[in-house]
């Protein structure tokens, strides 16, 4: 079964992220992995010694597109404010308008991890 994926593409003055998957859960997971892959090398973060971190998110939005954007904005805030990078996700509840998810990963350390791209905002 195809669990989905992501790819980046050039966009005027920006970088685009194309995400695909068989369902909303896969899209949310692949979107998060894509976002953090743009920011840093996830494989190096997973392999290197780091401080583990986990967070629980409960989000609601009017529809699935808005929920997807809210999710990416929330985890981007976690990176910007606290250096949290996530790569494991356990989605407990999901619908087109709400999600409950536990995310686990590690703390980004600029002395040990390379920042590939600075993501300032998530937009349509």
């Amino acid at each position: 079964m195809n669990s989905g994926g992501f790819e980046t593409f050039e966009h005027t003055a920006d970088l685009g992220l194309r995400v695909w998957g068989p369902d909303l859960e896969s899209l949310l997971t692949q979107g998060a992995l894509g976002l953090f892959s743009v920011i840093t090398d996830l494989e190096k973060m997973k392999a290197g010694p780091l401080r583990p971190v986990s967070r629980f998110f409960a989000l609601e939005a009017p529809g699935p597109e808005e929920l997807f954007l809210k999710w990416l904005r929330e985890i981007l805030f976690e990176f910007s404010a606290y250096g949290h990078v996530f790569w494991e996700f356990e989605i407990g509840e999901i619908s087109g308008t709400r999600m409950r998810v536990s995310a686990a990963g590690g703390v980004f350390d600029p002395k040990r991890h390379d920042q590939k791209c600075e993501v300032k905002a998530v937009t349509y």
Side-chain angles (χ1 to χ4, degrees):
M1 177 178 180
N2 182 357
S3 62
F6 62 86
E7 65 185 6
T8 60
F9 60 92
E10 300 264 337
H11 188 275
T12 309
D14 287 318
L15 177 71
L17 181 64
R18 184 176 294 119
V19 179
W20 63 90
D23 52 31
L24 185 55
E25 181 175 344
S26 178
L27 291 174
L28 293 166
T29 299
Q30 291 301 318
L33 293 172
L35 174 65
F36 287 122
S37 292
V38 167
I39 293 171
T40 191
D41 185 332
L42 281 180
E43 295 308 313
K44 284 185 181 177
M45 282 210 60
K46 290 179 192 180
L50 50 89
R51 230 173 50 230
V53 65
S54 63
R55 290 286 182 266
F56 176 77
F57 300 91
L59 304 173
E60 293 187 31
E65 294 86 2
E66 293 88 357
L67 187 64
F68 181 77
L69 288 173
K70 192 170 190 176
W71 164 240
L72 294 182
R73 289 173 179 151
E74 189 72 23
I75 60 175
L76 178 58
F77 170 79
E78 284 282 327
F79 176 78
S80 299
Y82 309 112
H84 296 165
V85 175
F86 303 108
W87 54 80
E88 293 179 7
F89 308 95
E90 184 178 324
I91 298 181
E93 175 190 345
I94 191 165
S95 71
T97 60
R98 57 190 293 168
M99 65 182 283
R100 308 287 183 265
V101 60
S102 296
V107 177
F108 179 86
D109 180 352
K111 294 177 184 162
R112 292 187 297 191
H113 307 116
D114 295 328
Q115 185 166 354
K116 298 190 314 191
C117 183
E118 180 182 7
V119 178
K120 295 179 182 179
V122 174
T123 61
Y124 282 95

